[in-house]
Structures are given as structure tokens and as C-alpha cells.
Amino acid sequence: MREFDIEEELKKLPAKPGVYIMHDENDTIIYVGKAIILRNRVRSYFRESTPHTVRINQMIKRIKWFEYVVTDSDLEAFVLENNLIKEHQPKYNTLLKDDKTYPYIKVTVNEDFPRIISTRIVKNDKAKYYGPYVSANAVTETIELLKKTYNIRSCNKVMSEAKENFDDCLYYHIHRCDAPCKKLISKEKYAENVNKVIDFLNGNNKDVINDLTNKMNDASEELDFEKAAEYRDLISSVKQVAEKQKITDTAGEDKDIIALARDEASVIIQVFFVREGKIIGREHFYMKNTEDTSNADIVKSFIEQFYAGTPFIPKEIIVPEPLEDQDLLEGWLSAKREKSMKIVVPIKGKKERLVELAEKNAQIVLKQDIDKIKRNEQRTIGAVKEIENLIGLSDISRMEAYDISNISGFNSVGSMVVFENGRPKKNDYRKFKIKSVDGPNDYASMREVLTRRFSHGLEEKKSEEGKVSFSKFPDLILMDGGRGQVNIAEDVLLSLGLSIPVCGMVKDDNHRTRGLYYMNEEIPISKSSEGFKLITRIQDEAHRFAIEFHRSLRSNAQVHSILDDIPNIGTSRRRALMKYFESIEELKAADVETLKNIPSMDLRSAQSVYDFFRKDSN
């Protein structure tokens, strides 16, 4: 779990619109919300004086850290919130079972005499779509205004069949339509009016709003306040519809938007991930060794490194400025994608505004999160460097740690956890059921686990099937213990012809880490150092993973215990025996009288246990 001081982070919240994202201790997103002013909204969750529902109070107790995305408007916050909720399905959000869609304004430029209509379905039909918009009423009112202002037709007639003897309609008589169906307006003249509509929907709404404002003022002066209120509401609707909205793209494509922010010492790369036309997430990255490097070269280096390690390549990567060898980059990424892709430098329009939005968020991260990012790097990569210096190694990336878990020898299991660059790599964790060892023999169990792990790895390296489950070997093996565990690991590696450094994590009498055992020497380590904290995290993680595996196997009755074979001993009596005796050996030595006095046991079951452990010696 990341270090996060909630009280300190609350002080950094901006007084801007945006979306906030709450995480629990496992980094799971548990709530997504929007805010007109992020500072006020997010702080309200942590004020005792603010009343909340029972559900929200439960959510607040689980918040371990939060993040936020700044937007340019309340509308963008609204739409982004919806996108993120659909993507992550947070536990404490109210979720719709059906997929809510937003209204768009459609201009049917694919027709001879285009119409303006409202729709919630975007098709690939060569029409122009604008939106999405939050308010369906605003869309309806604005469409009616545009039809009235520019005499855009409302009918569904097929204009290719236009003829002079079509019946006159009501809209023609009230001067709301120029009757293209009767050929009373040319296609070119009608297109001029449609272009004015498109110009308005692209954001050039000043003339329309000024006209409505004048009418509202005139109505007020004439004391016609009802009419003035209608104009006021219409102005509000027009502004909502005309507002530039960048969070969802009607093209419905996959793209990544990359922006950069930097100061004298640091560089932040911000990436917005757009999938099927919707921003569904963002991530920021700290770049180092950037002195005397141009912004374009930093972005180029980021693209080369980031997309080399990710399986998904979008159709477009949008960057703030042209890159050197851009054609080569596109060719490489297209080959990885197995489809063509483009790196795009936007000049104007929605894509440019998306880059600006990403840059704005990068600047916020740079100003407010840079210390946190550096601290996180220190506790991961920096901690690995400390361990390297302690034991005299270099270039450690992958570390593997092992642990054995059993309850007094019952159902032994082994765990393997993997850390790369100081961070857990949970996809590479592995579990082992001990097959060849009876009783609480941790050394023998560990020998089995290590032998199986590295034997499988060697087999995979020889195989042509391309399996990589075990074939990636560590740069350092960490054993949960001192000399004894290290010797076991070194014996296994020697028998398999492998040369991998092995280091023991030595504990004191209180079972707390006190140092490292390496090359037959115990090396003390400062408890305040990041290296010590990383070793402790690895040790705890190996132990946790083994314990969880052991518990899951027991709860699901997946492991066969020696007690399962004793006649007249069911589940409750097995539990009673395991709770009473500390080891199998102690159980074997018990007499009938002792066994009979254990809760849930009787003389018959006690005699069965006693006889079972003596049948082989008779």
C-alpha cells in the first residue's frame, strides 16, 4: 500500500472542477465522484460535522488514499465520472444495471437537405455528431432554437424526391421552413444555413447568445417577466450545448493522450487512456536523467520504454509536439499492434484540448505529488540500491522470497513471492503443496519447494513451448531465516548447476528482522533505512501469502491430512485434536485416557486414534 497522508493531501486540493477517486488499502477503487470545486467536496468527507449516509460512512472508513482529475468544466466532470464508474464499478457508487447513454446533436450532412435531430446512438453514417451532453432538455431546446433561427426542416421527407406539388406544411406557413421539399430554396442556399448551425455547434455562439440576451432585456423592460425568464432559460440551454466537451469522443476510438510538465529538477509525463472514445483512466510517470533533454526527446523516450512493456497499443497516440524519427516509431508500434497506428500532433480542436487537459493535470502532479513520487521511488528502487550496497552486489532487479506454513506439521504448504525493482509482482507469485514431507520439517519442505521451482524453470528454458511460468530466474533469493535456510537453498542450486546469490533474512528472539545473512556473515542493517523496510515488507508478504494459501486449502478441505484416515474421526473431532495437540508427535504419544477427555471425543473415538498410530508397529 502506498504512503499517503490524507490530512496533508487535503490541503493540496485545487479549487477547480473535476473527478475524485477513492481507493482502499488494496488500491481498489471504491468510489468515484464529481465536484464543482474539488477542494470543498473532497474535504467534506473527512469533516466530522458533515452528515453522511450509513453507506458513505462505511466507505469513508475504508479510504486509504485518493486521487483526482481536474477538468475544464462541470460538464466534463459529470461525463468523466460516468465513464469511470462504468469502467471500474466501484463498490460504494450507486450503479445502473442498464448502460446510461447521453444525448448527442446530429446534423445529417449526409443528406441533400440536412436536418438537426437529437439521438443517443452514434453511427458510422457520415453525419456530424456533437456531444455528448448532460441535459436532454437543453439539447431539445437548442435544436428547436436552431431550427427556428436558420429555417432548418423538421420533416423526414426524402429530399431527392422533392417536387413542386408536395403539400404545403405548417412550418412553411409560419415561416419556420423554406420548403426544400417544394424546391423553394436551392441546395446551396440551404447549405449556408446548415453551415451556420455547424459553426454554432463548434462553439461560435456569440451572435445567438447576444440576440437572446437583447430579447430577454427587452422583455424585462416591457415587464414581461415570464417571457424574459424563457429567454434566460434558453440562454442557459444554449451555453450548455455550446460548451466544448472533451471527455468523450464520438469517433469511439482507442487513443492515448500524452503531455509533459517539468521544472528545473523533475519531469512528469501524464497519460490519459481513451478506450472506445471515453477517458477511462490516467497515469503519471516520473522521468529522470532529463537534464539538457528537450521535451520532444523526453516524450519520445517515454513512448519507446512504456509501449515496449505494454501489450496494448492504441490506434492513436496524441503528443504535444512533433517527435524525431516519428515515422520509425509509428512503424515499430504498428508492428507490435499488428495494425496501423498514428502518432498525432494536434493543431486545434478536441484533440488539442485533450492535450491541454492532460498537461494541466501533469502540472498539478508536478507541483503537489513530486515529493510523494520521489519517496515512493526511494522506498522501492532506492531500497534495492541500499540492499545492493550492504551485500556488495549490483544490478538487482528481481528478488524471490520463500516461506513454509503449517499448523504443527499439518498440511504444509510453501509460498514464493516476487519483487521487481522493489515492488511486488503478484502475477509471478507461486504456491506449492508439500508432497514429500510428513510433519513439521521446514528445512525438508523448503528443499522440496526450491527443487521443484528451479527444476521447472530449467525444464521451461529447454522446452520449445515458450512457457515462462518458472523460467525467469531471480537476481537474488531471500530466505526467511539465517544459516540453515541459506544452506538449504545453496545446496539445491548447486545440485542443479545454478549460481544465484542467496541471502537470509535473520530475525531476533521477538521474530523481528534484525539483519541479513550473506556469504557466511550476518550483516546488520539500520531499522530506519528503506532497505530494512523493504526486507520487512518482503518477509511479511511471503509469510502472508503462505498463510493465506494454507487457510484456503484448509477451509475448502482440499488438502488430505493424516487425520482424515482415522476411523470414527469426523470434521469436529479433527479440529478438536489439532487444537489440543501442538504436533503430530504429541498426538501419537497420547494415551486413550487423555484422548477420551478432549472435547467432542468419546471412548470409541479415542480408542480409534490410539489404535491408528500403533497399527504399523504391531
Side-chain angles (χ1 to χ4, degrees), residues 564-597:
D564 295 333
D565 296 328
I566 303 176
N568 303 317
I569 298 299
T571 302
S572 62
R573 286 173 176 161
R574 282 199 300 273
R575 289 175 181 168
L577 290 170
M578 291 179 67
K579 185 175 182 180
Y580 188 87
F581 295 103
E582 294 184 356
S583 68
I584 286 286
E585 285 69 23
E586 187 177 327
L587 172 59
K588 287 179 179 179
D591 56 27
V592 173
E593 190 66 25
T594 301
L595 292 165
K596 184 183 69 173
N597 291 325

Side-chain angles (χ1 to χ4, degrees), residues 352-365:
E352 182 192 27
R353 296 193 295 273
L354 277 169
V355 172
E356 291 172 354
L357 183 64
E359 183 179 344
K360 181 184 296 184
N361 281 273
Q363 291 287 355
I364 290 173
V365 171

Side-chain angles (χ1 to χ4, degrees), residues 526-541:
S526 170
K527 292 184 178 180
S528 62
S529 69
E530 292 296 343
F532 175 85
K533 294 174 185 176
L534 175 58
I535 290 168
T536 302
R537 288 197 298 275
I538 293 172
Q539 202 165 29
D540 290 345
E541 181 70 350

Side-chain angles (χ1 to χ4, degrees), residues 358-399:
E359 183 179 344
K360 181 184 296 184
N361 281 273
Q363 291 287 355
I364 290 173
V365 171
L366 182 67
K367 292 177 182 177
Q368 301 181 354
D369 288 358
I370 196 68
D371 290 339
K372 180 169 58 186
I373 293 170
K374 288 181 176 178
R375 285 197 306 271
N376 189 51
E377 185 176 84
Q378 183 59 34
R379 67 192 292 270
T380 53
I381 297 174
V384 174
K385 292 295 182 186
E386 287 184 14
I387 295 171
E388 287 179 348
N389 293 334
L390 274 171
I391 60 180
L393 294 177
S394 60
D395 299 324
I396 294 176
S397 173
R398 181 184 177 97
M399 295 186 287

